[in-house]
Amino acid sequence: PAFLVDPIADFLIPRLASKYCTLSPYYILLHFTPLIIWLLLYFAVYKHVPFDLRPDVDVTTLPRIEALLNFPHRYFNHHPSIPIIAVAALPYTIHFILTVFYTPRLLLTTSVKRVLEFGLVFGSMNLLGVIVQLIYPTAPPWYFESFGFQPASYNLTGNPSLLTRVDVYTNTTYYANLYSKSQVVFGSLPSLHSAWPYLMARFPHPKTPTFTALMLAYAAWVWWAALYLQHHWLPAGVAGI
């Protein structure tokens, strides 16, 4: 809505222009190149790779590691309930807009150099994570719970797992549609859901102890949700940080 966008634009644009107008476009592009490559690889390139050229999906290593810990992803969901699933669904739902709130704060509280460094680190982290997911695909917990150690097929579409219950409760197909469009179904390791909030909490920039504590608490919330919803293994969350 214009009444919301216009005041924000009037506030941000002059400040951003004063910071960035003296920078070379090539200098800015260099720092955001990993981010651009990641987005292209994830959304535009990978889906065109033939299935027979993709690596076999590892369906055994992560479950066997978690078996040593008695399967942490099962600790909280012996009796899943809609209220708890909704609590877990919230950070997954807002995950992709997290940077929308974080980046403006960074733009207004730190230097141009620091902002570009964050873009470089954030893009490199995501690019490295997706490369690992593509060359070493691993089946997530929901696959193990449904198929065990059966060989995985790339014909399988993404599965919202316990989020399906939210769809049923709300009489929608939101999560089913969202996960059916996933480009990387077997990207369980590392967990970028875990990596994003942890990076934002730990990235060096002017921040209060309260902000850091809130971001770390949010990171812990996402880690728990990833396990509870059977989307990631515990080692995948650790690998994400």
Side-chain angles (χ1 to χ4, degrees):
F3 74 92
L4 291 177
V5 174
D6 289 347
I8 296 174
D10 292 341
F11 179 76
L12 285 178
I13 291 176
R15 288 162 175 78
L16 298 182
S18 66
K19 284 188 174 186
Y20 290 98
C21 63
T22 59
L23 292 177
S24 164
Y26 300 105
Y27 181 79
I28 297 175
L29 180 61
L30 178 65
H31 283 75
F32 286 101
T33 295
L35 182 64
I36 296 170
I37 296 175
W38 163 57
L39 292 173
L40 289 174
L41 180 63
Y42 186 89
F43 290 105
V45 176
Y46 182 65
K47 62 184 177 182
H48 297 295
V49 178
F51 290 170
D52 58 351
L53 296 181
R54 300 182 187 184
D56 292 338
V57 179
D58 186 341
V59 300
T60 61
T61 301
L62 293 178
R64 286 172 176 167
I65 293 175
E66 284 230 337
L68 301 175
L69 303 171
N70 197 26
F71 295 105
H73 75 275
R74 294 176 176 172
Y75 288 175
F76 307 101
N77 57 17
H78 289 294
H79 304 286
S81 65
I82 287 297
I84 298 178
I85 293 175
V87 170
L90 182 58
Y92 260 66
T93 305
I94 66 175
H95 172 72
F96 294 104
I97 63 173
L98 184 62
T99 53
V100 175
F101 294 97
Y102 181 82
T103 304
R105 183 183 188 280
L106 194 63
L107 289 169
L108 296 174
T109 61
T110 190
S111 67
V112 174
K113 180 181 178 182
R114 187 63 70 189
V115 173
L116 294 178
E117 286 175 351
F118 176 77
L120 180 63
V121 172
F122 182 74
S124 300
M125 176 189 72
N126 283 286
L127 178 58
L128 177 61
V130 167
I131 289 175
V132 172
Q133 292 173 352
L134 299 186
I135 64 176
Y136 180 55
T138 53
W142 60 260
Y143 181 90
F144 174 73
E145 295 297 338
S146 298
F147 304 103
F149 293 135
Q150 294 181 34
S153 168
Y154 283 107
N155 289 309
L156 191 67
T157 58
N159 188 328
S161 189
L162 292 184
L163 290 175
T164 301
R165 302 193 182 194
V166 178
D167 281 351
V168 173
Y169 185 78
T170 58
N171 196 28
T172 66
T173 57
Y174 174 76
Y175 290 108
N177 292 336
L178 179 66
Y179 281 89
S180 68
K181 298 174 183 176
S182 176
Q183 301 296 324
V184 184
V185 175
F186 299 108
S188 180
L189 177 76
S191 168
L192 293 176
H193 277 92
S194 300
W196 283 27
Y198 186 78
L199 171 63
M200 294 176 189
R202 304 304 300 169
F203 186 76
H205 75 282
K207 53 184 180 289
T208 65
T210 301
F211 176 83
T212 301
L214 287 174
M215 287 303 300
L216 289 175
Y218 178 80
W221 184 13
V222 173
W223 299 342
W224 164 78
L227 290 174
Y228 181 84
L229 296 173
Q230 300 182 356
H231 286 199
H232 287 286
W233 305 96
L234 180 61
V238 174
I241 61 174

